[in-house]
Amino acid sequence: MPIIYAGVETGGTTWVTSIAVGSPSNITERGEFETTSPEEVIPRVVEWLKQHKFDALGICSFGPIDVHEDSDTYGFITTVPDTKKAWRNADVLNKIKSLLELPDSFPIGWDTDVNAPALAEYDSDDTISSCAYVTVGTGVGVGLVIGGHPVHGLLHGEGGHISVPRYPGDEYPGAKNLNCENFDELESMCCSSALAARANCTVSQLKDLPDDHKVWDIAAHYLACMCVNFILAASPEKIVLSGGVMLRKCLFPMIRAKTQLYLNTYINVPTITTDAIDKVIVPSEHGNKAGIVGALFLGKIALDEKNKGSLARAAAPQIMSHALVALAAVALYSVITRKK
């Protein structure tokens, strides 16, 4: 029987649920729920999940979240901005697990909504050892995977809030989350609402702007600065750009060209200095499904880790038996040699 994965992607406007059979990318069922409050959304999501059988569950969430298993707030959404204050210190993982009545041994994966798709993108390319995933839409989020593991460290990456140099002549103030003077946050400079404000249109009208509108050159500048910072700081072999803003396909060649311009051959490797950069800065393998595929992939990782642990425990008695036989042989040899 094929393995069945369940996934949950928490979003600022919508929660997405899904079932995949055999592979995290083989989605067979999907549900969507408006993001209101934890008290309303989580029970609705759980009710949807209860209608399905699955072998593992993956949950990826907007953040900041607590990803450290030894923490008292593991599985919580933590210090979110005021725009999402209903979710501040919300226990997502444990609430879902409790309402589903899942045992502690049940495989559940939990990570950010950018680390999860970064893991899925990394897994789809066996030629790389590192991968950054960026979503650009209502906000900007960044996930980073190195050596097959998501980077957590102190908390987890919040690359959407790095400082970037201003586009020449750009006087747009930006809505800064860090609220720090002279610190122009990436997200505040090129999220969808920032681009719409510059173009004097609504976010929904961005799609109607022509490719040669100046706002796309501005967006390409800030996203290229981001790519340059990532290349200099973490040296990822692939940078995947996704999200609503990146549906504007003309941005990809613009971002690649500006990345090369700003690096100015300082990183003198062919994958950056030549047309090979087309395979470094790329769209997602999974399109707009990247987030939920990432959640499903977290479930796969959790199940794989559980199975590895079971195999190790099963092998332990046999290893111990072989060790005891070896020790007995050594002891017998010592006795024989002493008698001689």
Side-chain angles (χ1 to χ4, degrees), residues 74-323:
Y74 173 66
F76 281 51
I77 296 173
T78 57
T79 55
V80 293
D82 287 343
T83 54
K84 299 174 183 175
K85 63 183 179 181
W87 292 91
R88 193 170 292 158
N89 299 317
D91 184 356
V92 174
L93 173 61
N94 298 300
K95 187 67 174 177
I96 291 176
K97 180 180 175 182
S98 173
L99 291 175
L100 286 173
E101 300 179 335
L102 296 175
D104 289 341
S105 59
F106 191 87
I108 305 177
W110 164 257
D111 214 314
T112 69
D113 58 356
V114 280
N115 270 346
L119 281 162
E121 298 286 348
Y122 170 86
D123 185 70
S124 68
D125 188 343
D126 59 8
T127 68
I128 60 174
S129 63
S130 55
C131 177
Y133 173 89
V134 184
T135 181
V136 190
T138 55
V140 178
V142 180
L144 181 62
V145 172
I146 296 177
H149 300 283
V151 175
H152 290 156
L154 296 172
L155 176 68
H156 52 70
E158 281 290 338
H161 303 287
I162 63 172
S163 183
V164 285
R166 280 188 171 268
Y167 183 87
D170 185 14
E171 297 181 357
Y172 179 73
K176 302 174 183 179
N177 282 295
L178 299 183
N179 198 26
C180 183
E181 189 177 359
N182 299 321
F183 193 95
D184 296 309
E185 295 173 47
L186 172 67
E187 180 176 280
S188 70
M189 292 292 103
C190 66
C191 68
S192 56
S193 60
L195 299 178
R198 288 189 184 88
N200 196 29
C201 69
T202 65
V203 169
S204 63
Q205 290 172 331
L206 282 172
K207 67 181 184 301
D208 300 323
L209 299 178
D211 284 352
D212 60 358
H213 194 286
K214 184 178 179 180
V215 76
W216 303 124
D217 194 57
I218 293 173
H221 162 78
Y222 289 116
L223 292 171
C225 290
M226 173 198 71
C227 290
V228 167
N229 280 325
F230 292 166
I231 291 167
L232 292 172
S235 196
E237 293 152 288
K238 179 177 283 190
I239 301 174
V240 180
L241 304 181
S242 187
V245 169
M246 295 311 304
L247 293 175
R248 179 68 57 151
K249 298 304 181 186
C250 71
L251 282 173
F252 282 94
M254 296 167 69
I255 292 167
R256 292 169 186 141
K258 289 181 184 293
T259 298
Q260 290 174 322
L261 175 67
Y262 300 158
L263 281 171
N264 195 25
T265 71
Y266 183 77
I267 303 298
N268 193 15
V269 294
T271 49
I272 295 297
T273 59
T274 70
D275 289 345
I277 197 172
D278 292 357
K279 295 184 178 179
V280 175
I281 299 174
V282 297
S284 171
E285 290 277 337
H286 306 290
N288 280 345
K289 298 188 299 181
I292 192 61
V293 171
L296 292 158
F297 196 78
L298 291 178
K300 179 182 184 301
I301 292 173
L303 181 60
D304 289 347
E305 289 178 350
K306 178 184 177 182
N307 290 339
K308 285 179 184 177
S310 298
L311 288 172
R313 287 191 296 273
Q318 186 175 4
I319 294 171
M320 182 60 72
S321 175
H322 290 323

Side-chain angles (χ1 to χ4, degrees), residues 318-337:
Q318 186 175 4
I319 294 171
M320 182 60 72
S321 175
H322 290 323
L324 290 173
V325 169
L327 286 171
V330 170
L332 179 60
Y333 178 77
S334 297
V335 170
I336 292 171
T337 53

